[in-house]
Amino acid sequence: MSEVMRDNVGVLAFDARRHGKTTSSQSDEDLPINVLFADFCALLQTIYPDAAEAPNLMKRCLTILNSRPEGFDSVEEAIEWHINTGLNHNPTSARVSIPSIVAPADSALTPNTRANIGFKYKWRTPLRSTAPYWDSWFPSLSPLFLGLSSARLLVLAVMAGLGVGHLVHENDPTKLAEILAEIWRCNERIVVRGNVIKAVGEV
């Protein structure tokens, strides 16, 4: 993104709980949407102290959950599995992102289950442990998205039906960066409650 925009914009990216290497000072096993949202808001308030229902996703989530292995014998095997199954179409991106979602079997970050015993690497977050929170993640996503007054961009895994995937932005990062750059250029000057947003993060 910085390359496409020639350093005219910045990118703020963060690890949500159980989504990367970042750990919480408290328990990170509490994953309802209000907690994830509160984490994000707290991050923004720290960085900027002066600033003020998706169709039928559950079945798709369960399909992905039931088809993935419980662990791997190496990080390379985890990367290869993501490429071979089509969850990630970009080997370069996979080599960057996949290592952070698995951890050595003896790591305190990898919960032991009956199914993952014997693997050298296990999932950083077993998806089944997040199932109780799915109901709070997905309801009303569509009307909330459509109700936003700001510029909107919907990135889909597939065009036919709303595909699910955490890695869709990695398949063609250059193209996505170009699209984001164009959205930014078209909406660079936005009026919010009488204030003109002149630049990213500046009101």
Side-chain angles (χ1 to χ4, degrees):
M1 187 66 184
S2 296
E3 181 179 346
V4 171
M5 290 302 299
R6 299 179 182 177
D7 295 323
N8 287 317
V9 298
V11 177
L12 172 64
F14 79 107
D15 290 337
R17 296 187 183 212
R18 291 283 184 170
H19 281 72
K21 292 183 177 180
T22 302
T23 57
S24 172
S25 59
Q26 302 174 349
S27 173
D28 64 353
E29 296 181 359
D30 195 23
L31 300 173
I33 192 64
N34 62 303
V35 171
L36 300 180
F37 181 72
D39 286 345
F40 180 64
C41 290
L43 176 65
L44 291 181
Q45 290 170 357
T46 300
I47 298 175
Y48 305 110
D50 298 327
E53 175 173 283
N56 202 26
L57 289 180
M58 295 300 184
K59 291 183 179 179
R60 177 62 175 154
C61 287
L62 289 172
T63 299
I64 295 175
L65 173 64
N66 293 329
S67 65
R68 77 177 195 166
E70 296 292 337
F72 304 93
D73 289 329
S74 66
V75 173
E76 291 73 18
E77 184 180 320
I79 295 171
E80 183 179 359
W81 179 81
H82 281 81
I83 296 297
N84 291 341
T85 56
L87 288 176
N88 192 316
H89 300 288
N90 188 325
T92 301
S93 295
R95 293 188 187 99
V96 174
S97 63
I98 302 307
S100 67
I101 63 175
V102 295
D106 59 356
S107 170
L109 299 177
T110 55
N112 291 317
T113 66
R114 292 181 180 179
N116 67 20
I117 293 177
F119 289 103
K120 295 180 180 178
Y121 286 84
K122 303 173 184 178
W123 296 104
R124 167 73 173 80
T125 303
L127 279 183
R128 288 183 177 82
S129 68
T130 70
Y133 305 105
W134 294 353
D135 285 338
S136 71
W137 291 352
F138 299 129
S140 302
L141 273 183
S142 295
L144 287 173
F145 175 78
L146 295 174
L148 291 173
S149 58
S150 61
R152 302 181 297 272
L153 174 65
L154 180 62
V155 180
L156 300 177
V158 292
M159 292 299 293
L162 295 187
V164 178
H166 282 61
L167 310 176
V168 294
H169 57 289
E170 298 182 20
N171 292 334
D172 194 342
T174 300
K175 182 177 180 180
L176 181 58
E178 292 171 347
I179 293 172
L180 290 171
E182 185 61 27
I183 290 288
W184 177 79
R185 291 190 185 99
C186 292
N187 298 276
E188 182 178 5
R189 187 180 184 278
I190 304 174
V191 178
V192 179
R193 297 178 182 175
N195 296 316
V196 176
I197 300 179
K198 300 179 181 178
V200 176
E202 178 185 355
V203 178

